Amino acid sequence: MAPAQYILVSLPLRVFDDDPLKSLAVTVGRDNGEVLPYPVPSFKIGTLDALVQHADDLAKLNGACEAAVAKVADSLRGILDGDEDLVAQQKIVNDKPTDQYLRSFQWNKLRYRADRPLAELIESLQRDLQNSDNDVKAKFNQYNTVKTNLAALERKQTGNLVTKSLTPIVDPKLLVQDSEYMETHLIVVPTNARKDFIRSYETLAPMVVPRSCVQVAQDDEFTLFAVTTFKKTSAEFLQKCREHKWTPRQYKYVEGGKEEEQRELQRVEKEARKVRAEALLLGRTGWGESVMIWAHVMTLRVFVETVLRYGLPLEFASALIRTTPKQAKKVKTALDSAYSYLGGNAFGRDKHGRVTKDDASLTSEMAAAGLSVGEGNEYTAYVYYEFDLP
């Protein structure tokens, strides 16, 4: 199934002879997209200067919404190992699948009262987005930290002799302990260098105890040896081992250490399961919150630009067009052909009647005035916003 692409449009009622949605559906074409009602409340308008500022603030907030939604989607994919079917199940907004929420969008009048000034609404949306983004980020950071800790503990249990814990492997009877003059070292040697180590360990440094080498353990890649030296030459012995690419392992026997490591592993496994469940729940909530906020920001953008473009009295029709990335260009071409005249001199037609693009200077002027420009920074003769969801 092709991913959905959404287009929000607003047009003055005067351009329609019939029902606006039916007329738009005919213009767009049934094969190119589905035209759905998208109700935009009547907000407090304020001054022209304030509207231009709101348009700029909303454009920035729209970018922040897009980034937040993408971040939540990435987090969900990470925690669900990239399983898109499972990820899709988490993408719920107001107890509805995301597409259904957008199709049936209604402004949340209880949370964002339409009779409040636009500046207050924008500030509330910005604050709510930041709070949601912070909550999701904090929980997923916690999850990633616990996951890293668990992976490190598991490596200690299942890794090779270079990385795994020596607590369940080393018999304390093999170690010289509590001696004033001597100590035992544990050296990991690649199995293919085993004979070389046995032949040469006594001469690596002075005062290595002859015939003290004991094989402790072996895996597919390495062999672990215990060797006893006098403490005064220990540093030299260990350095010579490193020069031969033989790995000294730090180890100190602790009574009950094996059981303690197992308890720690079980504790972190339990914590990881708990934090994963919390992160998944917060990811689901964060998706719903950020998409809901984005839809409200888009609604405000449509309203502000509608006022800036078409003036007062406010008589306009707004709609959501659900299409695909492939068909979106056809939708835009059809809309341009039908409504480009709203741009006055912004659009012309060639001798074949095709719409010609605006010039760069006009685009700059319109953008500076707070009016939207389309994909590729092209001026659009009517209110037009494209967006898609990751």
Side-chain angles (χ1 to χ4, degrees), residues 160-204:
N160 60 39
L161 287 168
V162 174
T163 58
K164 75 190 306 181
S165 170
L166 298 181
T167 301
I169 296 173
V170 178
D171 184 346
K173 293 175 185 175
L174 295 174
L175 307 176
V176 174
Q177 300 183 75
D178 305 321
S179 167
E180 186 178 347
Y181 300 107
M182 291 189 294
E183 60 185 342
T184 302
H185 307 289
L186 295 168
I187 311 296
V188 179
V189 178
T191 299
N192 59 12
R194 182 175 176 277
K195 289 182 180 178
D196 186 29
F197 177 80
I198 293 172
R199 187 173 60 249
S200 61
Y201 78 91
E202 292 181 358
T203 57
L204 288 178

Side-chain angles (χ1 to χ4, degrees), residues 313-377:
L314 271 180
E315 295 176 344
F316 68 98
S318 51
L320 176 72
I321 303 170
R322 187 190 186 280
T323 181
T324 65
K326 187 177 179 181
Q327 300 297 101
K329 290 180 181 178
K330 294 181 180 178
V331 173
K332 180 69 165 55
T333 300
L335 292 170
D336 281 348
S337 295
Y339 305 115
S340 61
Y341 67 88
L342 291 170
N345 292 329
F347 281 80
R349 293 180 184 272
D350 62 20
K351 62 183 180 181
H352 301 293
R354 291 190 294 261
V355 173
T356 57
K357 297 298 183 186
D358 60 300
D359 62 34
S361 61
L362 179 68
T363 297
S364 300
E365 288 172 17
M366 302 309 285
L371 301 179
S372 77
V373 289
E375 294 297 314
N377 292 325

Side-chain angles (χ1 to χ4, degrees), residues 110-182:
L110 292 176
R111 188 162 170 181
Y112 305 110
R113 285 173 44 189
D115 60 353
R116 288 165 59 195
L118 286 172
E120 281 187 26
L121 290 172
I122 294 169
E123 188 179 336
S124 293
L125 289 162
Q126 197 164 20
R127 183 173 58 248
D128 290 350
L129 180 71
Q130 189 65 55
N131 289 340
S132 174
D133 191 41
N134 287 343
D135 289 345
V136 171
K137 192 185 299 179
K139 182 55 68 175
F140 274 86
N141 283 345
Q142 182 189 1
Y143 170 67
N144 287 329
T145 299
V146 173
K147 193 171 146 189
T148 301
N149 292 343
L150 178 60
L153 287 174
E154 286 174 340
R155 274 198 305 276
K156 284 185 175 182
Q157 301 294 319
T158 60
N160 60 39
L161 287 168
V162 174
T163 58
K164 75 190 306 181
S165 170
L166 298 181
T167 301
I169 296 173
V170 178
D171 184 346
K173 293 175 185 175
L174 295 174
L175 307 176
V176 174
Q177 300 183 75
D178 305 321
S179 167
E180 186 178 347
Y181 300 107
M182 291 189 294

Side-chain angles (χ1 to χ4, degrees), residues 5 70 176 187 216 258 260 265 276 296 310 345 354:
Q5 178 101 15
V176 174
I187 311 296
V216 180
K258 182 177 178 179
E260 178 57 36
L265 178 63
R276 182 185 185 277
H296 282 68
Y310 310 140
N345 292 329
R354 291 190 294 261

